[in-house]
Amino acid sequence: MDSAGKEREAVQLMAEAEKRVKGSHSFLRGLFGGNTRLEEACEMYTRAANMFKIAKNWSAAGNAFCQAAKLHMQLQSKHDSATSFVDAGNAYKKADPQEAINCLNAAIDIYTDMGRFTIAAKHHITIAEIYEAELVDIEKAIAHYEQAADYYKGEESNSSANKCLLKVAAYAAQLEQYQKAIEIYEQVGTNTMDNPLLKYSAKEYFFKAALCHFIVDELNAKLALEKYEEMFPAFTDSRECKLLKKLLEAHEEQNSEAYTEAVKEFDSISRLDQWLTTMLLRIKKSIQGEGDGDLK
Amino acid sequence: MNEEIRIHSWPCSYYLDTNKQWVSGRLSLTPVAIKFTADKTGELLVNFHLSGISEIKKESSNLIFSSLTILEKNTKHWFSSLQPNRNVVFNILEHFWREQLLSNQGTGAEAGALQSTKGKELTGLLAGSQKRLEDTAKVLHYQGEQFDNIMRGLNKIEGDMDVADRLLTELESPSWWPFSSKLWKAPLEAKPKETATVSDSKNQEGIIIRIPVIITHRTDSNVKPGKLTLLASGLEISDCNSQVIHRFESKDVDDIRVHTPYEISVRQRFIGKPDTSYRLLSAKMPEAIPILEMQFSKKIQFLEDALAFAGARKSPQVDLGTSIWQAATGLLGGVMQPESPVGGEGMDNEQVQLQSHEKISESEAKELKQILKKLKGLALETEAELERQDEALDSITSSVDRATLNIDKQNRRIKKLT
């Protein structure tokens, strides 16, 4: 009941705001106090948007925020405009993902213009998440994550940049763009290797890079493994490295049972996550593909 | 293996991307594949190999329906209104998917081998805690970076506040006063300027460093040689005859830009007047910059070319830090070393004891030891990082307090002015 009332009120406010905007266009008004009228309209749009939010009419709320943002732009207050665009994006996210992305992109443009790259990067991540979850366009999600990583790097926030890059790598590997994934994992691995706090996770990145190598070509994986051990001696001791060696051996002998046994042993100690399962399955398939292929 | 055997099937609905609608039907699972048949038409809409799956996720469509998504290559399949319940289906699907990787053709044989020993269990536990600690370390590091960013922002705010403070003082001096605030103060300054020869000032205030420089005043292209003297209370620019051209008190300096390691510009801003700014070029500048940086840490600004220099200068410090750290860990290691045989013995004892109860093999013990070592290292690192962050937080708090106070004060002053 209440929400319906709010919605009606919001619609009225919208109409009122529109009138104000039109009023400010007339010549005389334009000369005297046109801006204050625009400011009033802005405020009304925002209030209307908030009421739409209460009424859960997301796309109307998004639209109202958008209008407010455009008016802020006319009033030359960039920061307010960007904030309104972000609000619009958040409202649209629940109803119209594509429109949400447009709004967030507009906000990003403003933020980059102002040199606020950290915030821009954050919104790039939001967009990437929308692509990931709602629109299932992984390629575009990757592009946005990459952009975010670039901005973060420019602002010296390396660990945020790494976080984005790792996402990119995971998706790239899923899409079978192994070369890209390898490059990122190696880069992140070498970056974190020297940090006292992060060096313990470096082995994970090298492990993933080596796995990607493995899918492409066994020999490369061997070479890569040697290289990583040389670069990062602690890698040799890790369970990941031992597993890789066992897997390589099994693969060389085309012994899918030994392969499975090794994987199983690893899994019994620390459960494999979905990404690893996918990658290991792909390697296993390549063994069976050459073998009898009785799982086909 | 009979591929036709249905392990399980669930009534559910499937999202048809081409028609943009949900179709109800049955989702069925065979040992190797997942299939979906529509109820009405009996059509087989989905049929793919289990090993083609790259991700199974619980998601919600439009934030309302809880559904299950399966990512196969590049297509995402949406299943919703699963019965009896989404989690059941998820668990079963994931289980069979993983079984694709883990199962062997020669089943049954390794059932005995699968019996996990106590040692393995322990290793599993430790590996799990190591993983968690690694994640924690990652988050901590990220947090530390954010604190650093905050500090940088606060420093900038403080620098700007100083400028605002000075400008306000200027505005506050009554406008009918024939002399500008600068001149007002000038007599005080002029005296030492006239009388104080260089040698005098040398005695009076501690000269930190004096270097020969080439001076450019404002934008004119008139370049002349001179000297830059860094004093404890400010900086002085004099020409080659030791005649003082300009003297900046510490608080008068609004910003210092470091263009290259050898070139800086010093600037004082005025309202309604062009800024006083000097551009100084000197081969000895690298010596002076660290001092400037110390004195005017909040006002100094490194431009692009100089950044590399600043970074280069910083790195030895970092090296120093790490070397100290390494020495410390070496020490720690040394301290640990005498312990470790004891620990080892203890472990051996324990092992013997344990062996009588359950079996921990030698290799397992070794692995356990290794993980424990890593855990300890991680814990130490985490502690160090936490301490660092604690300090950072303290200075952030005090800095924020100062900034708030300053803002309050300035607000009051501005109100008085209007």
Side-chain angles (χ1 to χ4, degrees):
Chain A
M1 264 293 77
D2 189 25
S3 69
K6 284 277 180 211
E7 193 158 352
R8 227 174 305 127
E9 212 174 311
V11 172
Q12 270 171 14
L13 263 174
M14 288 285 280
E16 185 91 352
E18 235 157 89
K19 240 191 268 166
R20 295 267 161 128
V21 177
K22 283 216 184 90
S24 77
H25 284 321
S26 74
F27 178 67
L28 274 177
R29 280 279 157 68
L31 277 182
F32 309 107
N35 274 353
T36 44
R37 282 185 83 84
L38 276 183
E39 268 162 32
E40 275 170 28
C42 242
E43 210 172 291
M44 281 178 177
Y45 274 129
T46 323
R47 263 174 57 209
N50 287 331
M51 279 176 195
F52 276 129
K53 256 182 164 174
I54 295 172
K56 291 208 176 125
N57 188 345
W58 300 116
S59 58
N63 182 32
F65 274 128
C66 248
Q67 297 292 342
K70 278 172 197 155
L71 284 186
H72 276 305
M73 207 57 187
Q74 276 182 31
L75 289 170
Q76 302 289 329
S77 54
K78 280 183 175 177
H79 192 271
D80 288 332
S81 173
T83 330
S84 299
F85 269 126
V86 172
D87 283 336
N90 281 339
Y92 271 130
K93 203 155 68 174
K94 292 158 188 97
D96 185 351
Q98 192 55 51
E99 200 52 45
I101 288 168
N102 292 344
C103 286
L104 286 172
N105 265 328
I108 287 171
D109 282 344
I110 297 171
Y111 279 127
T112 44
D113 209 37
M114 283 160 58
R116 310 283 303 277
F117 287 101
T118 329
I119 299 184
K122 216 172 90 193
H123 295 308
H124 267 302
I125 292 179
T126 320
I127 294 182
E129 276 163 1
I130 295 175
Y131 273 123
E132 215 179 321
E134 306 279 337
L135 298 172
V136 203
D137 192 335
I138 305 291
E139 297 270 356
K140 282 205 177 115
I142 288 182
H144 280 280
Y145 275 127
E146 273 179 328
Q147 187 67 57
D150 280 349
Y151 285 162
Y152 274 131
K153 248 191 220 156
E155 297 293 293
E156 291 290 311
S157 314
N158 286 326
S159 83
S160 311
N162 280 350
K163 229 194 259 172
C164 299
L165 281 177
L166 287 176
K167 282 249 184 198
V168 173
Y171 280 118
Q174 253 174 23
L175 295 177
E176 308 192 353
Q177 300 165 358
Y178 299 114
Q179 208 49 47
K180 193 172 178 183
I182 290 168
E183 263 167 40
I184 293 173
Y185 280 128
E186 283 184 355
Q187 190 194 330
V188 175
T190 33
N191 279 348
T192 52
M193 188 166 80
D194 299 323
N195 187 310
L197 202 59
L198 299 179
K199 67 179 175 210
Y200 297 93
S201 331
K203 63 174 182 355
E204 191 189 325
Y205 308 135
F206 286 128
F207 175 54
K208 285 185 171 167
L211 269 187
C212 292
H213 268 304
F214 200 168
I215 298 176
V216 182
D217 182 41
E218 193 194 323
L219 196 66
N220 270 346
K222 252 185 203 162
L223 292 177
L225 198 60
E226 275 166 27
K227 192 174 82 189
Y228 299 151
E229 280 185 78
E230 211 169 288
M231 262 164 45
F232 184 55
F235 186 53
T236 320
D237 292 334
S238 63
R239 285 185 319 118
E240 282 85 354
C241 180
K242 283 174 194 155
L243 172 71
L244 270 173
K245 279 178 185 160
K246 271 187 206 161
L247 294 185
L248 279 168
E249 206 175 293
H251 192 265
E252 208 168 318
E253 292 165 4
Q254 288 295 310
N255 184 347
S256 82
E257 258 171 56
Y259 181 91
T260 316
E261 200 55 47
V263 174
K264 198 186 252 171
E265 198 194 318
F266 189 86
D267 184 68
S268 72
I269 286 175
S270 55
R271 203 180 151 90
L272 294 165
D273 64 16
Q274 295 202 345
W275 190 89
L276 287 175
T277 314
T278 313
M279 294 302 138
L280 290 170
L281 257 177
R282 283 185 189 165
I283 301 173
K284 191 176 180 183
K285 242 188 184 170
S286 76
I287 299 181
Q288 280 157 355
E290 291 154 35
D292 47 8
D294 64 348
L295 264 180
K296 282 277 159 75
Chain B
M1 244 190 254
N2 191 346
E3 287 185 21
E4 292 314 309
I5 293 177
R6 249 192 218 176
I7 296 168
H8 219 305
S9 70
W10 305 271
C12 73
S13 55
Y14 175 71
Y15 186 70
L16 260 184
D17 218 20
T18 46
N19 298 6
K20 304 259 181 226
Q21 60 178 10
W22 292 88
V23 186
S24 64
R26 288 185 90 75
L27 174 71
S28 51
L29 174 73
T30 71
V32 290
I34 287 176
K35 290 182 179 133
F36 179 85
T37 24
D39 267 348
K40 279 187 201 139
T41 52
E43 224 180 323
L44 198 65
L45 288 173
V46 179
N47 183 9
F48 56 86
H49 215 263
L50 268 181
S51 53
I53 296 174
S54 46
E55 201 172 28
I56 304 176
K57 248 194 198 163
K58 288 183 230 182
E59 275 183 66
S60 51
S61 55
N62 291 334
L63 294 162
I64 305 164
F65 310 112
S66 59
S67 52
L68 201 72
T69 60
I70 299 175
L71 197 67
E72 182 226 0
K73 293 281 153 57
N74 293 334
T75 46
K76 199 170 192 174
H77 302 275
W78 289 79
F79 298 99
S80 188
S81 352
L82 290 154
Q83 277 167 8
N85 154 344
R86 177 171 67 148
N87 290 355
V88 175
V89 183
F90 176 80
N91 287 338
I92 295 178
L93 281 184
E94 202 195 14
H95 172 79
F96 276 94
W97 175 44
R98 283 162 52 82
E99 246 358 74
Q100 280 289 301
L101 173 66
L102 300 175
S103 76
N104 240 333
Q105 276 91 323
T107 43
E110 81 279 336
L114 221 139
Q115 280 292 325
S116 66
T117 58
K118 202 83 180 172
K120 224 178 206 172
E121 234 171 74
L122 276 174
T123 327
L125 273 176
L126 280 181
S129 39
Q130 193 191 345
K131 184 106 203 10
R132 289 287 90 77
L133 209 57
E134 272 165 23
D135 291 348
T136 320
K138 249 186 264 173
V139 176
L140 256 181
H141 184 258
Y142 174 59
Q143 220 170 281
E145 215 166 63
Q146 276 177 323
F147 280 142
D148 292 347
N149 284 342
I150 293 172
M151 276 303 283
R152 226 176 297 153
L154 276 172
N155 276 343
K156 221 187 225 165
I157 290 175
E158 257 178 43
D160 285 349
M161 214 96 89
D162 279 357
V163 177
D165 200 49
R166 227 183 34 70
L167 292 180
L168 266 175
T169 338
E170 208 169 296
L171 282 174
E172 270 167 11
S173 65
S175 51
W176 45 265
W177 193 257
F179 315 104
S180 78
S181 66
K182 173 102 199 342
L183 285 177
W184 211 27
K185 266 189 265 165
L188 297 172
E189 248 175 77
K191 264 179 228 155
K193 213 193 264 179
E194 305 293 351
T195 54
T197 53
V198 180
S199 60
D200 221 18
S201 63
K202 204 188 269 173
N203 297 338
Q204 276 173 358
E205 25 198 347
I207 292 174
I208 302 169
I209 196 170
R210 168 174 300 150
I211 52 172
V213 288
I214 293 167
I215 306 164
T216 321
H217 187 212
R218 234 166 266 155
T219 47
D220 67 355
S221 50
N222 202 355
V223 180
K224 49 192 168 189
K227 276 187 187 129
L228 169 73
T229 317
L230 286 181
L231 306 162
S233 60
L235 36 127
E236 219 170 57
I237 297 165
S238 46
D239 61 14
C240 44
N241 301 326
S242 301
Q243 204 67 275
V244 177
I245 300 175
H246 193 88
R247 190 187 150 98
F248 290 103
E249 292 298 318
S250 285
K251 59 178 191 316
D252 288 342
V253 178
D254 284 340
D255 61 22
I256 296 176
R257 278 162 198 262
V258 182
H259 298 276
T260 66
Y262 303 102
E263 191 171 10
I264 62 167
S265 61
V266 184
R267 190 159 68 120
Q268 180 180 16
R269 272 186 260 183
F270 291 103
I271 297 180
K273 264 195 292 181
D275 304 343
T276 325
S277 79
Y278 288 94
R279 211 175 159 110
L280 308 167
L281 183 71
S282 166
K284 289 248 177 79
M285 202 52 90
E287 292 170 28
I289 288 176
I291 298 165
L292 281 172
E293 208 182 338
M294 247 170 3
Q295 264 183 316
F296 305 102
S297 60
K298 276 154 201 164
K299 290 167 183 168
I300 203 158
Q301 194 179 2
F302 287 95
L303 298 183
E304 218 147 283
D305 287 335
L307 259 181
F309 162 71
R313 218 162 31 69
K314 246 175 226 162
S315 62
Q317 279 176 350
V318 171
D319 279 348
L320 203 76
T322 51
S323 71
I324 285 173
W325 192 85
Q326 270 162 1
T329 47
L331 211 70
L332 271 179
V335 173
M336 264 154 53
Q337 220 77 77
E339 264 174 38
S340 59
V342 181
E345 268 173 46
M347 208 178 255
D348 279 344
N349 283 344
E350 259 174 354
Q351 207 178 314
V352 174
Q353 272 180 2
L354 276 174
Q355 238 157 13
S356 54
H357 297 291
E358 30 258 335
K359 289 165 199 102
I360 294 185
S361 68
E362 191 71 31
S363 65
E364 275 168 353
K366 213 186 245 168
E367 202 167 333
L368 281 175
K369 202 169 148 194
Q370 218 169 51
I371 297 179
L372 276 175
K373 233 187 226 164
K374 264 185 213 155
L375 275 178
K376 184 172 178 185
L378 256 172
L380 281 174
E381 285 305 335
T382 321
E383 198 191 347
E385 174 72 17
L386 271 177
E387 262 165 26
R388 196 187 70 83
Q389 286 188 12
D390 216 31
E391 267 164 38
L393 267 180
D394 276 349
S395 60
I396 287 172
T397 326
S398 61
S399 181
V400 169
D401 279 351
R402 234 176 310 145
T404 339
L405 266 175
N406 264 336
I407 289 176
D408 276 352
K409 209 165 65 191
Q410 280 170 13
N411 270 345
R412 242 175 295 131
R413 283 166 74 182
I414 291 170
K415 248 178 224 150
K416 232 188 271 166
L417 277 176
T418 48

